[in-house]
Amino acid sequence: MADALLLVRARELWVELAGTPAEFSSSGGAEVVVAPGSRLAPPSWTGVVRIGDAALGRGR
């Protein structure tokens, strides 16, 4: 139970860093977000964060 809560909180924090409405995909794929102000990766880079069985990505 504690592990599940940690995964949820970690995902919430990474969604905040995305800087745009985004969510971790529960289908095992990635949600790709184009957000120039995102803090997931440096400007002009692509960043992907995978936590558990879900991923969130930032492309530019």
Side-chain angles (χ1 to χ4, degrees), residues 7-52:
L7 286 175
V8 169
R9 184 62 185 135
R11 289 175 180 163
E12 288 173 350
L13 291 171
W14 279 104
V15 166
E16 279 184 39
L17 291 174
T20 192
E23 63 184 49
F24 278 82
S25 173
S26 60
S27 66
E31 174 80 14
V32 178
V33 178
V34 177
S38 171
R39 295 177 288 169
L40 287 179
S44 75
W45 285 35
T46 298
V48 177
V49 177
R50 182 179 171 110
I51 300 176

